[in-house]
Amino acid sequence: MPLTSAFDQEILALPFYDDGHRRLADAIGTWCDDRAPQWKDVRKEDPEEAGRRLVRMLGDDGWLAFLDPSASGGHPGDFRAIGLMREALAYAEDLADFAFSIQSLAATPIIRYGSEEQKERYLPRLADGSLIGAFAVSELEAGSDVASVGLRAERDVDGGYVLNGQKAWIANAGIADLYVVVARTGEGPGPLGLSAFLITPAGTPGVRAHERLDAVAPRAFAHLSFENCRVPREAVLGKPGKGFIIAMDLLERFRMTVGAAALGFARRAADTALAHARTRRIGNGKLIDLQLPRASLADMDVRLNAAALLVARAGWEADHGSRRFARHSSIAKLYATEEAQHVVDSAVQLLGAAGVVADSVTERLYRQIRSLRIYEGTSEVMRLTIAGTIDTRRAGLPARYL
């Protein structure tokens, strides 16, 4: 099936998107389609080698150009565009979406909070794929609770900082040329005492990736350790004590794009299930002629439509400067990832034994989709976050309706 079917054209035609988004969707879908033979080669490579290759490929072909707004004239705040790119890449190849998302995740805080010197130093190379980024927040004892970060960064005599501690589950840790790191500098308790740093491992003694991790869906993961790692004051991103704000701002913006990636996975699963149902013979007919398979396909379609609308709305809210965009980003992330899990599982069930054959489309999707319900805020945390916004949203309801 053509990978350009990654998008629902009826959703793209809605006012959530403009003609620029529609041209982008067509271009990225065609690009993914043209590289279908390469995706097979990518899957055979070591995840770290694949990561290096994909970042360079994305950079060479201009899909990361928006990460350097001064050169590209792009709009880094266009999260509908980022979502569309993630949806197409996830539909085509999980590792391509992974490479794109981590590069974007590392560059965005520099775009939003970096000094002019930091932007000039890092963004052009992040945009052309010659510099690989990583975003290091999680720790063994601080996952979804960013305020509990324990990595310490203490002031040095020369005004710089000395970092000691660990980071865990860091995407691209073993191949990154630049880490965006959140550490505790102690300006205040809890979230008030965190700062963000830009650290280049090649030129910074005391930081190293270790304990490479093998995930259910192969990706470049490792832990990071910091042992008397000295960085200059110029390494601080934004202002000291603003690390929590930087991290949460980034996560709130990118959660909706996780939902977009989930939508890409789910649409690929649904398309695969539909193609199977149309050709699988059952008695004198086809699988799609039976009521239960048709009902399953209908449920998939409903879930895809609802998820696509929520992702589109979240992107629209963010791109139009809504103060409530974070709520909609959490809603989109929660619903799209949870429902994508259902869609993929239903596709496997419909294919039967063929659905669990190693390296088949549905088997890969079954492994790949699971992690999205954890990344950038677990589903449980998303529910708590959304619940925390309900009272304030309903506070203005007239008494006659209560």
Side-chain angles (χ1 to χ4, degrees), residues 93-306:
E93 170 51 44
D94 170 54
L95 286 174
D97 169 65
F98 185 73
F100 174 87
S101 65
I102 303 305
Q103 193 79 346
S104 303
L105 199 67
T108 298
I110 304 175
I111 296 171
R112 293 183 57 77
Y113 297 97
S115 66
E116 289 306 311
E117 190 278 331
Q118 289 170 335
K119 292 177 182 178
E120 291 173 3
R121 181 178 181 185
Y122 297 118
L123 292 181
R125 296 177 63 200
L126 287 166
D128 68 18
S130 62
L131 189 78
I132 297 176
F135 185 64
V137 175
S138 297
E139 300 176 4
L140 291 176
E141 302 298 329
S144 297
D145 185 9
V146 176
S148 296
V149 162
L151 172 67
R152 299 200 65 82
E154 298 179 342
R155 287 273 190 176
D156 204 354
V157 292
D158 62 359
Y161 293 83
V162 181
L163 282 71
N164 281 284
Q166 308 281 327
K167 289 292 179 184
W169 324 113
I170 306 305
N172 282 353
I175 62 174
D177 306 295
L178 174 67
Y179 299 127
V180 181
V181 179
V182 176
R184 184 162 301 283
T185 47
E187 282 77 12
L192 300 179
L194 301 177
S195 299
F197 297 87
L198 299 177
I199 299 176
T200 52
T204 309
V207 57
R208 65 183 180 89
H210 65 97
E211 197 176 336
R212 175 174 158 172
L213 306 168
D214 293 324
V216 173
R219 297 177 181 182
F221 273 115
H223 295 329
L224 289 176
S225 66
F226 298 82
E227 299 174 6
N228 294 321
C229 173
R230 285 179 165 78
V231 297
R233 70 182 71 185
E234 292 78 19
V236 175
L237 177 63
K239 296 180 179 179
K242 300 299 182 182
F244 181 80
I245 293 173
I246 292 173
M248 293 310 299
D249 177 67
L250 182 67
L251 294 174
E252 287 170 352
R253 292 177 188 279
F254 270 83
R255 280 169 180 157
M256 67 185 77
T257 77
V258 177
L263 185 58
F265 288 143
R267 201 177 302 285
R268 184 70 184 274
D271 286 350
T272 302
L274 178 59
H276 176 79
R278 283 171 170 168
T279 58
R280 175 73 161 87
R281 295 195 63 82
I282 297 290
N284 294 324
K286 300 291 178 63
L287 187 62
I288 198 170
D289 299 325
L290 303 180
Q291 288 185 335
L292 286 177
R294 291 175 68 86
S296 180
L297 291 167
D299 286 340
M300 291 184 204
D301 195 50
V302 170
R303 289 184 166 111
L304 288 170
N305 271 271

Side-chain angles (χ1 to χ4, degrees), residues 32 85-94 96-97 260-265 268 365 368 372:
C32 289
M85 287 190 276
R86 289 204 65 179
E87 185 177 346
L89 291 167
Y91 187 100
E93 170 51 44
D94 170 54
D97 169 65
L263 185 58
F265 288 143
R268 184 70 184 274
L365 290 168
Q368 292 160 359
L372 298 193

Side-chain angles (χ1 to χ4, degrees), residues 4 54 60 72 79 95 102 108 116 142 152 168 173 250 322 325 327 341 387 392 399:
T4 46
L54 288 165
D60 286 346
S72 67
F79 279 84
L95 286 174
I102 303 305
T108 298
E116 289 306 311
R152 299 200 65 82
L250 182 67
S322 169
F325 84 86
R327 164 185 166 82
Q341 183 84 61
T392 56

